[in-house]
Amino acid sequence: MKILSAISFLLLIITGCSISAEKGKDSEIKPTSLYNFVVIFADDLGYGDLGVFGHPTIHTPHLDQMAQEGQKWTQFYVGASVCTPSRAALLTGRLAVRSGMTSKNNRVLFPDSHHGLPQTEITLAEQLKNAGYVSGIIGKWHLGHKKEYLPTQHGFESYFGIPYSNDMDNVSLLAKQDYSSFWTSEARKKTESFNVPLMRNEKIIERPTDQFNLTKRYTQEALLFIEKHKNQPFFLYLAHSMPHVPLFASESFEGKSKRGIYGDVVEELDHSVGQILNLLKNHGLEKNTIVVFTSDNGPWLVMNSEGGSAGLLRSGKGSTWEGGMREPTLFWSPGNIIPGVVSELGTTMDLFTTFSALANVPLPNDRILDGVDLSPVLFHKKESPRKTVFYYRGDELYALRLKGFKAHFKTQDPYSNFYQTHQPPLLFNLNVDPSEKFDVANEHPEILDAIMEIRLEHNKKMIKGPDLLRDRG
Ligand code: MG
């Protein structure tokens, strides 16, 4: 024990960290200093696409180990089923309908969109700055590509990545060719078919982006960021562009997995996670760093075998069925976060609240936040304070979960204008029926009443932001 204490003391001096995990009376380790935060956000990764979440042929040994050393969350959600509103929710801790990052017309921002995340919003990077954090984003932003909306205007010290999705600036669209036949042509496999810019801070440094080496370069940048800031509290937001279609893997991974190019890409992401966790361990930073791995929305099913899998969950990206918004999520901080499988409720919006609490930054009191502090689950394996999940499509509430039960007021295919309203709503017991197959509304009128009451209160208090996705061209 003395040797271990001496090593810990030495690490303290070397890393300059003031970490001092204290053993409580019930032997729980309590966090007592500022944590670093790393959020690794995959793009369109499905609930069933990792080894540890049951995929039979995609090998993800580093994520599997991360799950073993940390918490695997089986009921963790994003704020929306598509990129822009999901990212807005994560970074602001608020449903995107409040910040204007939803619309009836456009579901996300496009290269010809006029607006982006408004300055009036407080991002996690801005919030943590109040506690002396330095924040960096590497990867996909998708909250406004014009200068006034870029990450450097939203609290991030540095930015390396692409400003929107990797399928945008599609040259076939620009040439007004047939968009659907493009996706079955060989052109989709060429990086120059997507004239996406790669940016450093506010400047375009490459166009089109070399997408084959994008994951690799993001990873190198992430490692550099950690090296550079290892002696101060940092927040690293690593928002991978993959496995969003078009899929590109570097030479070391292409053609290597049993699951085709989709598997190659996910295995490269896994390798990236391994490199980041190893670097943190090498510096002793795992003791005061929380790493979260999740995805911005469910799998893009219309892309067939190039899209992922939601496993046993229904539907995928673009949908308010579970497959669209429940994501494979891991929390990791060895010695702090109690390892195990967690079936409590959590959302990406809770990261804003949880990280603020851990960094001792008071929450803004001039706006409604939608997050809760997940610390009781992370550090004490207690019940989650979260009891509800709101499923928005655009600016409209389609479904609501209360504890184990979820009611659908409206359902719609991910990419169709056809919708159905449900009166009475459909009701599913997600603890028993995660695939949402068996409507139990008739058996539980009291639960439906409780959900309708919550919906009424929610709608009464909802102040929607202006539609900032509408203006284009
Ligand atoms: Mg996405």
Side-chain angles (χ1 to χ4, degrees), residues 42-44 81-83 87 140 244 295-298 317:
D43 195 352
D44 294 4
S81 68
V82 288
C83 296
R87 284 151 207 272
K140 173 174 166 181
H244 189 290
S295 174
D296 71 330
N297 51 252
K317 174 180 178 172

